[in-house]
Amino acid sequence: MDPARIAFDGSGVRIPPSSTLEHLQEAVRILRSNQPVAFPTETVYGLGANCQNTNAVQSIYTAKNRPADNPLIIHVSSRKQLESKLLSQGIPAIYEPLLAAFWPGPLTILVPLPPQTNISTLCTKGQSTFGVRMPKHPVARALIELSGLPLAAPSANASTKPSCTLAEHVLADMDGRIPLILDGGSSDVGVESTVVDGLVSPPQILRPGGISLEQIKEAGGKAWQGVVVANPTAGLNEKVRTPGMKYRHYSPRAAVLLVSPTANVTTVGHALDSRSARKIAILRSKTWPQEISFGDYETVSIPLGHSGAQISHNLFAAFRSADEANVDAIVVEAVTLDDEGLAIMNRMKKAAEVYIS
Ligand code: TXA
Ligand code: MG
């Protein structure tokens, strides 16, 4: 990180070298003055603000350029904070086995919005529920606990850009737009939390993420055996259960071609030629060898890793490095839908222009 860019003069952004108590205290001061702070979580970086203050929440939408009908997840540091500040009627029983297994961690649950609530309507956007999670990352937990504020926090990327898994990614998108980024290193999981709705029957996974369908079925007991995955590809005008599903997302600047490992190499070459691609990035996952080629293109080869955990961890950063390398197109190797694959393919499809299977 270039120290010259780490100035705090109201227009720039400062990234502390480490998240010491002093930096956390400064973040707390900023949050209490109803401004946003970017912070690390185990999934991706979040852009947080006091969920009970409308000006604070508005500052998130403004910094991100986020569509106005997409609700925000609220982050808490403990169940006690959730129940005392936001949900006096308690957490619906269906979630208990999931919370025992996955909190703190990458699982967001939908709970009923109480009739009397201080949660800003900007967080909930007309839904009768709100989404809440308890992050595992120690900096995130410490920030929420020290501030005493439940934080509304979407991913810290500019709207439509890939989510941020490093403080440097946040700086690239948010420089001059927010007062502070807490640097907690690289986000472990690399894709966002799994969003589940246990208030409908059968329960639904609204967004696949850091906790897999298989894990939910295994830990969830009888009530979660029949869990279904909501349609992730609703069209722009369709009414969707989770508004975030309908937007273009995670998009690098370059055209992304999602390609099955068994696809015909010539077909991929035609798709690249029809986009006049000269320089490409190849994002290899489980099977493509380093020397794989789709024709005569200047090529940047980026390994995502072989396991689902590695591919999740590396995907968004790889999209960003491909853009930095100024490629015309990104060819990414698809994976199967089991375990981490469901969330990985969801993110890959949202970034892709075409899927060549
Ligand atoms: O891992 C994560 O969840 C990250 C980190 C920062 O915690 N946050 C995140 O937030 O991904 P965001 O705003 O980028 O995505 C929130 C998703 C959206 O798809 C939104 O539509 C959905 O959760 N959501 C939030 N509240 C909801 C509600 N009440 N009903 C249905 N969907 C909701
Ligand atoms: Mg997001």
Side-chain angles (χ1 to χ4, degrees):
M1 184 70 49
D2 174 9
R5 297 173 66 196
I6 308 176
F8 183 54
D9 60 5
S11 61
V13 177
R14 177 164 55 165
I15 301 183
S18 64
S19 296
T20 59
L21 184 59
E22 198 187 311
H23 299 128
L24 284 166
Q25 282 165 340
E26 177 166 9
V28 167
R29 280 195 295 277
I30 294 171
L31 291 172
R32 291 205 178 129
S33 71
N34 297 324
Q35 292 179 271
V37 167
F39 62 96
T41 88
E42 72 281 10
T43 57
V44 299
Y45 275 71
L47 182 61
N50 178 3
C51 75
Q52 297 179 316
N53 181 285
T54 291
N55 291 335
V57 180
Q58 181 56 48
S59 70
I60 297 175
Y61 284 90
T62 307
K64 275 185 66 94
N65 227 337
R66 184 180 173 95
D69 67 342
N70 196 6
L72 304 177
I73 294 171
I74 296 175
H75 297 63
V76 295
S77 55
S78 65
R79 277 186 71 137
K80 184 162 163 256
Q81 185 184 52
L82 172 59
E83 288 172 316
S84 65
K85 298 209 159 157
L86 307 175
L87 199 63
S88 48
Q89 76 271 36
I91 299 171
I94 186 167
Y95 292 120
E96 289 301 340
L98 298 186
L99 301 194
F102 306 123
W103 268 18
L107 179 79
T108 296
I109 61 172
L110 293 198
V111 295
L113 189 67
Q116 298 293 324
T117 179
N118 292 326
I119 298 174
S120 165
T121 53
L122 280 186
C123 295
T124 50
K125 291 293 176 182
Q127 309 278 329
S128 58
T129 57
F130 68 95
V132 62
R133 85 174 186 100
M134 189 194 298
K136 190 171 200 160
H137 198 293
V139 173
R141 297 275 294 292
L143 180 65
I144 301 164
E145 188 63 27
L146 274 177
S147 65
L149 301 173
L151 298 181
S155 47
N157 53 291
S159 193
T160 79
K161 288 284 191 65
S163 296
C164 302
T165 54
L166 286 171
E168 284 81 354
H169 299 161
V170 185
L171 182 65
D173 284 13
M174 291 293 154
D175 198 6
R177 304 179 73 88
I178 58 171
L180 185 76
I181 300 167
L182 290 173
D183 185 353
S186 164
S187 291
D188 247 12
V189 178
V191 297
E192 298 85 345
S193 62
T194 300
V195 180
V196 293
D197 185 354
L199 306 175
V200 292
S201 182
Q204 294 192 10
I205 292 182
L206 296 182
R207 177 180 70 182
I211 301 292
S212 69
L213 171 65
E214 290 86 345
Q215 285 176 293
I216 286 173
K217 284 187 173 168
E218 186 180 334
K222 212 168 149 216
W224 291 88
Q225 288 314 302
V227 62
V228 295
V229 181
N231 170 20
T233 53
L236 266 179
N237 300 316
E238 240 171 287
K239 190 158 170 51
V240 285
R241 298 276 342 276
T242 194
M245 295 197 300
K246 73 183 178 186
Y247 297 106
R248 185 168 156 86
H249 251 107
Y250 315 116
S251 318
R253 194 174 24 72
V256 176
L257 279 54
L258 178 58
V259 176
S260 144
T262 55
N264 187 312
V265 170
T266 323
T267 313
V268 180
H270 286 151
L272 288 167
D273 293 341
S274 74
R275 288 169 178 76
S276 310
R278 299 225 304 273
K279 183 173 182 185
I280 67 169
I282 301 180
L283 274 48
R284 297 179 281 119
S285 63
K286 297 197 179 185
T287 67
W288 285 350
Q290 194 178 346
E291 57 285 357
I292 186 149
S293 162
F294 299 102
D296 194 14
Y297 309 99
E298 187 186 340
T299 299
V300 184
S301 183
I302 304 178
L304 295 173
H306 295 290
S307 71
Q310 289 168 334
I311 299 165
S312 305
H313 176 80
N314 291 321
L315 181 65
F316 287 139
F319 281 151
R320 284 181 182 259
S321 0
D323 267 351
E324 273 162 32
N326 267 315
V327 299
D328 307 311
I330 300 172
V331 182
V332 53
E333 179 184 354
V335 298
T336 50
L337 295 175
D338 47 310
D339 299 320
E340 292 95 341
L342 188 67
I344 293 168
M345 280 294 278
N346 172 277
R347 305 311 188 269
M348 287 179 173
K349 282 181 182 165
K350 283 186 172 181
E353 265 180 26
V354 282
Y355 182 19
I356 303 171
S357 56

